[in-house]
Amino acid sequence: MAAPRVAIVGAGFGGLCMAIRLRRAGIGSFTVFEKAGELGGTWRDNTYPGAGCDIPSHLYSYSFEKYASWTRRYPGQPEILAYLARCADKYDVRRRIRFHTEVVGAAFDGGRWQVSTAGSQREAFDVVVMGVGQLNRPRLPDIPGMSDFAGTAFHSARWNHDHDLTGRRVAVIGNGSSAAQFVPRIAGRAGRLEVFQRTPNWVIPKPDATFGPAARSALRLVPGLQRAYREWLYRYAENVFHPALARGWSAATLERRARGHLSAQVAAPVLRAKLTPDYPPGCKRVVIDSDFYAALTRPNVEVVTERIVRIGPGGVETEGGRHEADTIIYATGFRTTEFLAPIEVAGRGGHTLARQWNGGAEAYLGISMPNFPNLFLLYGPNTNLGHNSIVFMIECQVRHIMACLPYLSAGGPMEVRPEAMAAWTRQLDRAMAGMVWQDGCRSWYKTADGRVTNNWPGRADLYRRLTARSPRAAYRHIREPVDRERAVASPA
Ligand code: NAP
């Protein structure tokens, strides 16, 4: 086979990384499908005030495109988006992006993937790489009466910048990382702001700082300095944050840090009690922010913990009474466990991903699935991190996919062997048992029945080693007889 035709779905961190790696390998036969009119994925969508990343800038960037000129220790959304746009232009992949083109389906047929886009266009590719991410579909809650609300309502990932919050009575539903970032930015403008909290989060301060001209010059000019700084950030995350999530030596340190931050910022015992979680830190995503607690102590801000029973035309009704509001901001997160949805994916022999993932999404290395030859995922099941940079994980995945390409070019479509998949699942289950995510909390890492489908339990180092292995032993080529075999499709 000549160079395979590759369809990449999504132009965020993952899709762009894949496109750049192909381009750098001299493979130009790829198309990036992007449903929106601009690249950037989650960093294009989340434009709420204060949006930013709580992973340090020099680590939250591609290893092959280090950037010395970050202006802050922790990057803001506009700077990350600009970084991605620069990468796309520098590596000349922008012209391969088909904007405003939503992929709605992919079907393996006759040894190739037929990729369908909205508007019923179909196009054949040898390989499909899904780079749609885990945090791409906002989740609105299912609260009775939401459509009756007479004011302005929007989700944090679809911020309504035309709506001036000055003097408004604002209800914020949710108190995760997104709310923690925007509440301090809007609290001073709103007339009254109520944060509806279902579960308190552990919060630790974010030691942000600006990089002045001298620091930026040093990082640019001193040989090896940027690399050493990045390496230090990475090692710190591996050696200090990971053990905290694996119930190791730093778990107590993390809890002390979070409790100390809460005590230092919130003096009132009643509010402090409301904000104190009853599960161990890390079970849900730890919020890393220095301004959230202070904002919650403002006289015009209140934390409401009574259960929401309905939303009416005039605001939010809880078990304790009515809370008048003219603006509701849903900071209620994303549909994280529905990987790839709503794209309909049909593999060989009548297998559909919807059916195969009935009990929760799973993929070998988070990248590939039996019955779905030449289909690869970026930031797929069990590859999210609570302790280190997702960009690192994406690069491991792209490297693995690049290593698969020569095999499938030489021997035809290939898929992961069922026994490799089973061994992976066993290994994952064993490692998962030691993690704090299991410890009695609800989180976006889990399905409704409690299975952690989103997070990688090991260190990032281990994931790098596993994905760096030759794919030869774990995959098999799909020859004609297997291809024709019809699976006994069980009812959905
Ligand atoms: P999230 O962490 O999933 O938080 C959703 C919030 O909405 C939770 O407080 C949840 O309460 C609440 N909620 C959901 N449904 C509700 C309902 N029916 N009634 C009342 N409350 C409800 O979402 P997010 O804050 O958007 O953050 C998602 C993830 O994005 C983060 O964990 C993080 O990984 C990423 N993120 C990262 C950064 C960064 O700096 N790197 C910044 C923002 C976001 P419960 O806790 O009770 O479920």
Side-chain angles (χ1 to χ4, degrees), residues 71-82:
T71 60
R72 309 197 64 80
R73 194 181 285 168
Y74 293 90
Q77 174 266 340
E79 210 170 356
I80 302 172
L81 193 57

PDB file of all heavy atoms in Angstrom, residues 71-82:
ATOM      1  N   THR A  71       3.828  33.526  29.074  1.00  0.00           N
ATOM      2  CA  THR A  71       3.902  34.713  29.939  1.00  0.00           C
ATOM      3  C   THR A  71       3.575  34.381  31.386  1.00  0.00           C
ATOM      4  O   THR A  71       3.808  35.186  32.266  1.00  0.00           O
ATOM      5  CB  THR A  71       2.918  35.798  29.456  1.00  0.00           C
ATOM      6  OG1 THR A  71       1.589  35.260  29.504  1.00  0.00           O
ATOM      7  CG2 THR A  71       3.253  36.250  28.038  1.00  0.00           C
ATOM      8  N   ARG A  72       2.992  33.169  31.609  1.00  0.00           N
ATOM      9  CA  ARG A  72       2.623  32.793  32.976  1.00  0.00           C
ATOM     10  C   ARG A  72       3.079  31.367  33.266  1.00  0.00           C
ATOM     11  O   ARG A  72       3.244  30.560  32.358  1.00  0.00           O
ATOM     12  CB  ARG A  72       1.100  32.832  33.178  1.00  0.00           C
ATOM     13  CG  ARG A  72       0.403  34.101  32.762  1.00  0.00           C
ATOM     14  CD  ARG A  72      -0.976  34.166  33.396  1.00  0.00           C
ATOM     15  NE  ARG A  72      -0.876  34.247  34.841  1.00  0.00           N
ATOM     16  CZ  ARG A  72      -0.607  35.373  35.504  1.00  0.00           C
ATOM     17  NH1 ARG A  72      -0.436  36.492  34.840  1.00  0.00           N
ATOM     18  NH2 ARG A  72      -0.517  35.370  36.814  1.00  0.00           N
ATOM     19  N   ARG A  73       3.202  31.084  34.561  1.00  0.00           N
ATOM     20  CA  ARG A  73       3.553  29.715  34.952  1.00  0.00           C
ATOM     21  C   ARG A  73       2.427  28.765  34.564  1.00  0.00           C
ATOM     22  O   ARG A  73       2.657  27.635  34.143  1.00  0.00           O
ATOM     23  CB  ARG A  73       3.796  29.681  36.454  1.00  0.00           C
ATOM     24  CG  ARG A  73       4.472  28.411  36.889  1.00  0.00           C
ATOM     25  CD  ARG A  73       4.669  28.388  38.387  1.00  0.00           C
ATOM     26  NE  ARG A  73       5.748  29.253  38.822  1.00  0.00           N
ATOM     27  CZ  ARG A  73       5.965  29.585  40.097  1.00  0.00           C
ATOM     28  NH1 ARG A  73       5.156  29.127  41.042  1.00  0.00           N
ATOM     29  NH2 ARG A  73       6.960  30.352  40.430  1.00  0.00           N
ATOM     30  N   TYR A  74       1.181  29.234  34.711  1.00  0.00           N
ATOM     31  CA  TYR A  74       0.025  28.439  34.297  1.00  0.00           C
ATOM     32  C   TYR A  74      -0.661  29.184  33.158  1.00  0.00           C
ATOM     33  O   TYR A  74      -1.033  30.353  33.326  1.00  0.00           O
ATOM     34  CB  TYR A  74      -0.946  28.238  35.469  1.00  0.00           C
ATOM     35  CG  TYR A  74      -0.345  27.385  36.554  1.00  0.00           C
ATOM     36  CD1 TYR A  74       0.368  27.963  37.597  1.00  0.00           C
ATOM     37  CD2 TYR A  74      -0.458  26.002  36.522  1.00  0.00           C
ATOM     38  CE1 TYR A  74       0.951  27.194  38.588  1.00  0.00           C
ATOM     39  CE2 TYR A  74       0.114  25.220  37.503  1.00  0.00           C
ATOM     40  CZ  TYR A  74       0.823  25.809  38.533  1.00  0.00           C
ATOM     41  OH  TYR A  74       1.400  25.039  39.502  1.00  0.00           O
ATOM     42  N   PRO A  75      -0.836  28.539  32.016  1.00  0.00           N
ATOM     43  CA  PRO A  75      -1.287  29.298  30.845  1.00  0.00           C
ATOM     44  C   PRO A  75      -2.774  29.631  30.887  1.00  0.00           C
ATOM     45  O   PRO A  75      -3.593  28.840  31.360  1.00  0.00           O
ATOM     46  CB  PRO A  75      -0.995  28.337  29.685  1.00  0.00           C
ATOM     47  CG  PRO A  75      -1.091  26.971  30.299  1.00  0.00           C
ATOM     48  CD  PRO A  75      -0.654  27.104  31.730  1.00  0.00           C
ATOM     49  N   GLY A  76      -3.116  30.779  30.371  1.00  0.00           N
ATOM     50  CA  GLY A  76      -4.514  31.143  30.196  1.00  0.00           C
ATOM     51  C   GLY A  76      -5.005  30.610  28.850  1.00  0.00           C
ATOM     52  O   GLY A  76      -4.211  30.290  27.959  1.00  0.00           O
ATOM     53  N   GLN A  77      -6.333  30.528  28.733  1.00  0.00           N
ATOM     54  CA  GLN A  77      -6.926  29.970  27.499  1.00  0.00           C
ATOM     55  C   GLN A  77      -6.460  30.682  26.227  1.00  0.00           C
ATOM     56  O   GLN A  77      -6.103  30.022  25.246  1.00  0.00           O
ATOM     57  CB  GLN A  77      -8.462  29.988  27.638  1.00  0.00           C
ATOM     58  CG  GLN A  77      -9.233  29.576  26.404  1.00  0.00           C
ATOM     59  CD  GLN A  77      -9.637  30.784  25.541  1.00  0.00           C
ATOM     60  OE1 GLN A  77      -9.664  31.908  26.022  1.00  0.00           O
ATOM     61  NE2 GLN A  77      -9.937  30.533  24.276  1.00  0.00           N
ATOM     62  N   PRO A  78      -6.425  32.034  26.189  1.00  0.00           N
ATOM     63  CA  PRO A  78      -6.039  32.679  24.932  1.00  0.00           C
ATOM     64  C   PRO A  78      -4.611  32.307  24.510  1.00  0.00           C
ATOM     65  O   PRO A  78      -4.327  32.128  23.327  1.00  0.00           O
ATOM     66  CB  PRO A  78      -6.128  34.184  25.250  1.00  0.00           C
ATOM     67  CG  PRO A  78      -7.027  34.281  26.449  1.00  0.00           C
ATOM     68  CD  PRO A  78      -6.808  33.025  27.221  1.00  0.00           C
ATOM     69  N   GLU A  79      -3.727  32.157  25.507  1.00  0.00           N
ATOM     70  CA  GLU A  79      -2.336  31.843  25.170  1.00  0.00           C
ATOM     71  C   GLU A  79      -2.196  30.400  24.659  1.00  0.00           C
ATOM     72  O   GLU A  79      -1.409  30.126  23.752  1.00  0.00           O
ATOM     73  CB  GLU A  79      -1.462  32.083  26.411  1.00  0.00           C
ATOM     74  CG  GLU A  79      -0.068  32.488  26.029  1.00  0.00           C
ATOM     75  CD  GLU A  79       0.779  32.970  27.207  1.00  0.00           C
ATOM     76  OE1 GLU A  79       0.275  33.073  28.348  1.00  0.00           O
ATOM     77  OE2 GLU A  79       1.972  33.236  26.968  1.00  0.00           O
ATOM     78  N   ILE A  80      -2.987  29.488  25.233  1.00  0.00           N
ATOM     79  CA  ILE A  80      -2.938  28.090  24.764  1.00  0.00           C
ATOM     80  C   ILE A  80      -3.485  28.011  23.340  1.00  0.00           C
ATOM     81  O   ILE A  80      -2.905  27.345  22.469  1.00  0.00           O
ATOM     82  CB  ILE A  80      -3.759  27.159  25.688  1.00  0.00           C
ATOM     83  CG1 ILE A  80      -3.237  27.233  27.122  1.00  0.00           C
ATOM     84  CG2 ILE A  80      -3.705  25.717  25.181  1.00  0.00           C
ATOM     85  CD1 ILE A  80      -4.104  26.485  28.129  1.00  0.00           C
ATOM     86  N   LEU A  81      -4.591  28.717  23.118  1.00  0.00           N
ATOM     87  CA  LEU A  81      -5.189  28.698  21.779  1.00  0.00           C
ATOM     88  C   LEU A  81      -4.213  29.275  20.744  1.00  0.00           C
ATOM     89  O   LEU A  81      -4.058  28.725  19.642  1.00  0.00           O
ATOM     90  CB  LEU A  81      -6.502  29.500  21.808  1.00  0.00           C
ATOM     91  CG  LEU A  81      -7.423  29.347  20.623  1.00  0.00           C
ATOM     92  CD1 LEU A  81      -7.810  27.886  20.398  1.00  0.00           C
ATOM     93  CD2 LEU A  81      -8.698  30.185  20.834  1.00  0.00           C
ATOM     94  N   ALA A  82      -3.550  30.355  21.117  1.00  0.00           N
ATOM     95  CA  ALA A  82      -2.579  30.969  20.197  1.00  0.00           C
ATOM     96  C   ALA A  82      -1.412  30.014  19.936  1.00  0.00           C
ATOM     97  O   ALA A  82      -0.906  29.914  18.805  1.00  0.00           O
ATOM     98  CB  ALA A  82      -2.068  32.286  20.785  1.00  0.00           C
TER      99      ALA A  82
END
